Amino acid sequence: MGVIEIIKKQEREAGMSAGMSAGLAAGIEKGRLEERAKLKAEKQKAELEKAMAIALEFKKMGLPIADIAKATGLSIAEIEKL
């Protein structure tokens, strides 16, 4: 194997290593973004469930639906379904 072939091989390996490193970094970032989105969705779901539980208690207490909607941030339709 000549000098040119050795240099080509080294450059090819360096390029592959750089490409894999960049791909790995992009994959890690994508995973982080997906995890953040998942956590945000779970948090929103938990907040909605909490608001609905509070609204149900207010409804059982006989509070006006408009007041419940204002206090919980739920729509009147959502509260009426409870």
Side-chain angles (χ1 to χ4, degrees):
M1 186 180 279
V3 174
I4 294 176
E5 288 82 17
I6 292 172
I7 293 173
K8 284 182 181 181
K9 181 180 178 186
Q10 290 173 343
E11 291 298 318
R12 185 172 37 254
E13 289 172 356
M16 288 177 62
S17 178
M20 286 192 276
S21 293
L24 180 61
I28 290 171
E29 182 62 24
K30 181 180 177 188
R32 286 182 183 150
L33 291 174
E34 289 172 353
E35 186 64 24
R36 286 184 194 137
K38 180 180 174 185
L39 290 174
K40 184 177 179 180
E42 289 173 356
K43 182 179 177 183
Q44 288 174 338
K45 181 181 178 189
E47 289 173 356
L48 176 62
E49 289 173 354
K50 182 177 179 181
M52 292 181 85
I54 291 169
L56 182 59
E57 289 302 313
F58 284 167
K59 192 173 178 182
K60 287 178 183 177
M61 292 169 57
L63 292 172
I65 291 179
D67 291 345
I68 298 171
K70 186 175 181 180
T72 61
L74 297 174
S75 70
I76 291 174
E78 288 174 315
I79 296 166
E80 288 175 343
K81 290 180 184 178
L82 297 176

